[in-house]
Amino acid sequence: MSKSTKDRFNPVKSILVSQPKPSDERSPYFMLAEKYNLKIDFRPFIQVEPVSIKDFRKQKIEILKHTAVIFTSRNAIDHFFTICKELKIEMPADMKYFCISDQTAHYLQKYIVIRKRKLFVGSKTASDLFDYFKKHKSEKYLFPCSDIRKDEIPAYLSKSNIEYTEAIIYHTVAADLSDLKDIKYDILAFFSPSGIKSLMTNFPDFKQNNTRIAAFGPTTAEAVREQDLILDIEAPMPNAPSMTGALELYIKKANNL
């Protein structure tokens, strides 16, 4: 933690999490709120907008010329199969699917009947898929993604001379947060550089003052610093692998618990 944060341990009573409200009643956020008597609100700072069929066609991508599809999110799955439906494309039974996590793979079943031999699933991160790519170097990969995406997968495929096509199927844009203009929170929790960008887009004159900022992941932390904001809470850390864990450590200190 930087020197600039040492005197910023004011009591915490409210937190705004820049993500949708968890559907699981056992979410660590709800437990945190109850344990420390906190007001925790949820509000996505970014939203996704589908690419039109007209704009997709401009990319000159022939979906069925590929033998494998890489999915890193539910959004990618939804928008990809929406495009397939509009183009009247039916995915062949022998298409292979590479999913970044179990949750993503499970969601894929909303659209296709999965055969285990054609599904390859990582644990959580992009690098989990690299061994699969290495074993299946001859595939022609399609990578449906947003216009804002992480570089790990394209960089690895390029470096490994594996054939792939990147398909922009949705845009990540700032959500309208104008109703939050006069609402103050003790902590704002961010999970992507896009969230920070949305904050500054909605509130170009944003003054941090006593608002503490929490960031998950190195790229998010870097985005906070690039805006000359003070990063008070950083996750993951060895003693706090999750955002809720990092928040709890900070709250204990700030609230003298």
Side-chain angles (χ1 to χ4, degrees), residues 3-19:
K3 291 180 181 178
S4 55
T5 66
K6 67 179 181 179
D7 297 321
R8 293 173 56 78
F9 285 95
N10 298 314
V12 175
K13 296 180 180 178
S14 62
I15 300 172
L16 180 62
V17 178
S18 60
Q19 286 188 329

Side-chain angles (χ1 to χ4, degrees), residues 71-86:
F71 287 121
T72 58
S73 71
R74 293 183 178 187
N75 278 324
I77 291 172
D78 283 335
H79 291 294
F80 175 74
F81 282 100
T82 296
I83 284 173
C84 287
K85 184 178 180 181
E86 291 191 37

Side-chain angles (χ1 to χ4, degrees), residues 132-174:
Y132 290 129
F133 296 152
K134 196 183 297 182
K135 291 174 185 174
H136 298 271
K137 291 191 72 168
S138 61
E139 302 296 340
K140 294 180 179 179
Y141 290 92
L142 182 64
F143 180 32
C145 58
S146 167
D147 57 326
I148 299 174
R149 53 104 179 111
K150 295 181 179 179
D151 295 329
E152 292 101 322
I153 288 176
Y156 179 84
L157 295 172
S158 296
K159 183 181 72 175
S160 305
N161 294 315
I162 297 174
E163 188 175 345
Y164 78 98
T165 305
E166 188 172 313
I168 306 300
I169 57 169
Y170 63 98
H171 297 295
T172 304
V173 299

Side-chain angles (χ1 to χ4, degrees), residues 61-75:
I61 294 169
E62 294 189 45
I63 291 173
L64 294 180
K65 283 198 171 180
H66 299 82
T67 60
V69 187
I70 302 166
F71 287 121
T72 58
S73 71
R74 293 183 178 187
N75 278 324

